Amino acid sequence: CWAYLQIGYLLQEVRAPFACAIVILPMFVLQNVILTLDIMPGGLSIHRLGPFGLWFAYFGAICEYVRWYSPQVQAIGFVLVYCAYAIHIVYTLQLFRLCRPAEEAPAIAESPGAAWWPGEWGLPSAFQHALWVVAPPKELEPGLTDITAELRAEQSNGPKVASSQHSESEKRADVHRALGKQGESPAWFGVKVGLISLVIAWIFLTFGFTIEIMNQGTSHPSLLSAPGLANNARDPR
């Protein structure tokens, strides 16, 4: 979002394409670094298209603010804008696929300090090497002592307290109390709503831009740029 704000400001207000490119380049590299470090490699890496949307938007904006008007340059700018929209729609859908909870736990050998969690937790396997979650071990290794279990065993042999009596099923469900109804993390609901909203927004911008092109040069009110003013391919402000 900040990179697109810089494209609008540095090209529309300052008319500084080189300064804008200096901003876009590190943002492009940074986004690629984050995708490389956070997402497990495997299959078709469609999400790699996401950062390229910045460059398509950058060159599309340059075509919009060239010094002399040209129908050919304007058409190229339109194509670049459509490419940027398509990239972001595909990128967001890919993020939705990567972030959704996995049905099975990652096949990681259990070792002290290694990230591991039960399959019922429903965490995304694409981020398994970036999730620092250490669940209770399935079984104790030789030489280790579970002090908490020993205290519980001693308490169970002592006087019974009404408030501390729980069934076995309640004890098993306690560790999953923070999960959703389907065993997924509550954070997935927020991520899902955000990604779906992004897809709807990008589709709205795509259709809105198409309507702007169809009504350019007419007195029809603008839908996206300077709402209420006469439509024009260039921003009338």
Side-chain angles (χ1 to χ4, degrees):
C1 177
W2 183 78
Y4 284 108
L5 290 176
Q6 292 299 314
I7 291 177
Y9 171 72
L10 292 175
L11 292 181
Q12 180 180 351
E13 299 291 340
V14 184
R15 296 295 197 273
F18 180 73
C20 185
I22 294 177
V23 174
I24 299 302
L25 179 59
M27 296 300 295
F28 172 78
V29 174
L30 179 61
Q31 193 171 0
N32 275 285
V33 170
I34 294 175
L35 293 176
T36 301
L37 296 178
D38 286 354
I39 299 178
M40 286 286 292
L44 187 61
S45 300
I46 305 177
H47 53 275
R48 289 292 186 179
L49 291 175
F52 288 93
L54 293 174
W55 290 113
F56 280 95
Y58 169 71
F59 288 109
I62 288 182
C63 293
E64 182 72 11
Y65 291 100
V66 292
R67 184 172 184 180
W68 305 110
Y69 172 77
S70 171
Q72 293 77 17
V73 176
Q74 185 187 49
I76 294 174
F78 290 162
V79 173
L80 293 175
V81 171
Y82 277 117
C83 290
Y85 286 156
I87 286 175
H88 281 289
I89 292 174
V90 173
Y91 175 62
T92 307
L93 292 175
Q94 175 70 356
L95 287 182
F96 186 90
R97 188 185 71 84
L98 294 174
C99 295
R100 65 183 178 183
E103 298 180 357
E104 298 179 358
I108 300 179
E110 186 178 356
S111 61
W116 175 86
W117 57 86
E120 295 83 1
W121 285 19
L123 298 177
S125 58
F127 299 89
Q128 65 184 40
H129 67 303
L131 292 175
W132 298 100
V133 179
V134 181
K138 294 182 177 179
E139 56 185 11
L140 290 178
E141 296 183 2
L144 296 181
T145 303
D146 188 353
I147 300 178
T148 305
E150 292 183 358
L151 292 176
R152 289 177 179 173
E154 291 295 332
Q155 184 179 7
S156 63
N157 296 329
K160 303 296 182 181
V161 182
S163 60
S164 62
Q165 292 179 353
H166 300 284
S167 63
E168 188 66 23
S169 60
E170 290 177 345
K171 292 180 180 180
R172 290 182 177 273
D174 183 71
V175 70
H176 304 297
R177 186 164 297 175
L179 302 180
K181 295 181 179 180
Q182 305 299 327
E184 76 279 4
S185 170
W188 165 239
F189 177 78
V191 174
K192 178 172 61 176
V193 172
L195 292 176
I196 293 176
S197 301
L198 277 177
V199 172
I200 295 175
W202 287 117
I203 293 176
F204 171 79
L205 288 174
T206 303
F207 281 99
F209 185 68
T210 303
I211 296 175
E212 297 285 75
I213 294 177
M214 295 170 59
N215 294 327
Q216 65 172 326
T218 67
S219 58
H220 190 280
S222 178
L223 179 63
L224 299 179
S225 177
L229 298 180
N231 193 295
N232 196 297
R234 291 170 177 266
D235 195 325
R237 293 172 294 181

